[in-house]
Amino acid sequence: MTQSLTLKGRDLFWPPADELTEATERIRARLGDWPPTHAPWRICLTAPDEPNGGDLIVIADAQQHGAQMARWLTQGAGVIEAAENKATLHLGGEKYGLEGHLAEDWIAALAAFLDCGFDPHDALVLALAWRDGDETRADDAFPSDLAHFPRVTGLPAAPAQPFARCPPKLGLYPVLPTADWVERVVGFGVKTVQLRRKSAEPVDELKREIARCVAAGRAHDAQVFINDHWRAALEAGAYGVHLGQEDVHTADLSALAAAGIRLGLSTHGFYEMLKALHFRPSYIALGAVFPTTTKVMPTAPQGLRRLARYVRLLDGVVPLVAIGGIDRQVLPDVLATGVGCAAVVRAVTEAADPAAAVSALQQAFTQ
């Protein structure tokens, strides 16, 4: 049983609900030993007089609460609209729509997953993946059957055909800033790399860089992905592109899929994983596993415990890439989760001897 179960001393529900609290404690005790959350989440079945930033107010119909809902959101509260096997979270100016099974214990499950430290949109995903009685079936009742998970609503249509497949285990995956680096690293024998060039300007230079990367990949039988610049990658006939969550709403995914270009998508939790799966990508990146200085991350580091859960859920469904703060020291622990690929940045580009660094990193995949 978890050693961090401290629910009895907390204000979990409004109005106070002993039966819900007992159900939450029962579920929480079977989810594993997660560090207790420091966020003051409170699930409100009736709207409090003065909601705050820790309140998640559950309603059945947003249209009946239009003016009130706008006020609640302005005051920093979140609103969960739940009815007929659908749940939509409104929080922080974002809308997270889900369609799936609402168990009788879904609210207690939501409170338990919030206590495990999951952000509300991910906790809601897990609550909809919960089935009544799951806590009686095993010591570890954490949802791990993808068939039980909800689907994300309101997404643009996926391309008519899935994206081209890539190897199930991509191995070492350096993310590199220039074509010079790409040419150098594929020359070391690395078979999967990514060009992450932050600027698209000047355009002619960008196109030359991508063309060099594509040529280097073909010369060394390596899989070269291009980060963000999908138009230039499509024009150059790149092996693959890597996009962020926001890019699926603007990139021409159908054109990329029709051209046979592989697609990798970044994710930062369960909700974004489900969103990525909708588009049937070639791989899904899971991160950031550890703190990283290479880019500003939208979420706190995921850690190895969450990474292991993600791998357990998605292994065999789609190739997975762990990313964020990974170096030679932590790489064995990352691979111990079962993930078949790890992306690295500074472990190569800031190494005193990049060739030796690559060799040491590759050895971790064979141990």
Side-chain angles (χ1 to χ4, degrees), residues 215-273:
R218 290 172 179 166
H220 293 272
D221 192 26
Q223 296 133 186
V224 178
F225 288 85
I226 307 299
N227 186 285
D228 283 349
H229 306 297
W230 62 269
R231 291 184 181 86
L234 178 62
E235 181 180 330
Y239 177 87
V241 298
H242 180 94
L243 299 177
Q245 287 277 310
E246 66 284 353
D247 298 316
V248 299
H249 298 280
T250 56
D252 190 342
L253 299 185
S254 293
L256 292 171
I261 293 178
R262 281 76 175 171
L263 174 68
L265 289 176
S266 294
T267 68
H268 309 90
F270 286 105
Y271 181 88
E272 292 190 356
M273 275 184 256

Side-chain angles (χ1 to χ4, degrees), residues 287-344:
V289 181
F290 302 107
T292 176
T293 61
T294 59
K295 61 186 297 188
V296 176
M297 300 306 300
T299 58
Q302 300 289 317
L304 292 171
R305 189 183 301 270
R306 292 195 188 196
L307 177 62
R309 289 292 179 184
Y310 301 154
V311 172
R312 182 174 176 180
L313 179 66
L314 297 180
D315 188 37
V317 176
V318 62
L320 302 173
V321 176
I323 189 170
I326 299 172
D327 57 21
R328 179 65 184 89
Q329 182 177 358
V330 300
L331 181 56
D333 294 329
V334 170
L335 298 179
T337 67
V339 72
C341 177
V344 298

Side-chain angles (χ1 to χ4, degrees), residues 27-335:
I27 293 170
R28 177 67 182 86
R30 294 293 183 267
L31 296 181
D33 189 13
W34 296 87
T37 181
H38 298 292
W41 298 116
R42 180 176 67 164
I43 300 174
C44 302
L45 306 182
T46 300
D49 291 336
E50 293 296 331
N52 57 55
D55 285 342
L56 298 173
I57 303 170
V58 181
I59 61 175
D61 187 349
Q63 292 184 349
Q64 295 180 3
H65 299 272
Q68 287 178 302
M69 184 170 160
R71 177 172 61 83
W72 296 334
L73 295 173
T74 299
Q75 292 173 311
V79 176
I80 299 175
E81 182 182 7
E84 298 181 0
N85 292 329
K86 291 183 179 181
T88 301
L89 169 66
H90 305 262
L91 181 65
E94 299 293 335
K95 180 178 177 181
Y96 306 91
L98 296 166
E99 185 174 44
H101 177 72
L102 285 174
E104 289 186 10
D105 276 346
W106 78 270
I107 291 178
L110 173 63
F113 289 117
L114 287 168
D115 186 70
C116 290
F118 290 97
D119 289 336
H121 56 292
D122 285 332
L124 186 59
V125 166
L126 292 166
L128 267 67
W130 186 260
R131 297 295 182 268
D132 290 320
D134 275 359
E135 76 278 12
T136 67
R137 299 191 179 102
D139 288 339
D140 179 5
F142 202 96
S144 59
D145 185 348
L146 188 59
H148 288 175
F149 276 66
R151 72 175 188 88
V152 176
T153 61
L155 295 177
Q161 64 190 80
F163 280 89
R165 299 175 66 87
C166 59
K169 294 186 181 295
L170 288 164
L172 180 65
Y173 188 177
V175 178
L176 306 165
T178 65
D180 285 341
W181 268 107
V182 169
E183 291 168 345
R184 188 178 183 186
V185 171
V186 296
F188 298 154
V190 176
K191 293 303 181 185
T192 305
V193 300
Q194 180 186 132
L195 173 70
R196 182 195 284 169
R197 189 179 190 273
K198 295 182 179 180
S199 175
E201 302 296 336
V203 175
D204 288 345
E205 181 181 325
L206 170 68
K207 290 182 177 180
R208 286 194 297 270
E209 286 270 297
I210 291 176
R212 285 175 58 190
C213 293
V214 171
R218 290 172 179 166
H220 293 272
D221 192 26
Q223 296 133 186
V224 178
F225 288 85
I226 307 299
N227 186 285
D228 283 349
H229 306 297
W230 62 269
R231 291 184 181 86
L234 178 62
E235 181 180 330
Y239 177 87
V241 298
H242 180 94
L243 299 177
Q245 287 277 310
E246 66 284 353
D247 298 316
V248 299
H249 298 280
T250 56
D252 190 342
L253 299 185
S254 293
L256 292 171
I261 293 178
R262 281 76 175 171
L263 174 68
L265 289 176
S266 294
T267 68
H268 309 90
F270 286 105
Y271 181 88
E272 292 190 356
M273 275 184 256
L274 296 180
K275 182 178 174 182
L277 287 173
H278 167 78
F279 297 101
R280 298 178 291 180
S282 307
Y283 74 75
I284 287 178
L286 310 167
V289 181
F290 302 107
T292 176
T293 61
T294 59
K295 61 186 297 188
V296 176
M297 300 306 300
T299 58
Q302 300 289 317
L304 292 171
R305 189 183 301 270
R306 292 195 188 196
L307 177 62
R309 289 292 179 184
Y310 301 154
V311 172
R312 182 174 176 180
L313 179 66
L314 297 180
D315 188 37
V317 176
V318 62
L320 302 173
V321 176
I323 189 170
I326 299 172
D327 57 21
R328 179 65 184 89
Q329 182 177 358
V330 300
L331 181 56
D333 294 329
V334 170
L335 298 179

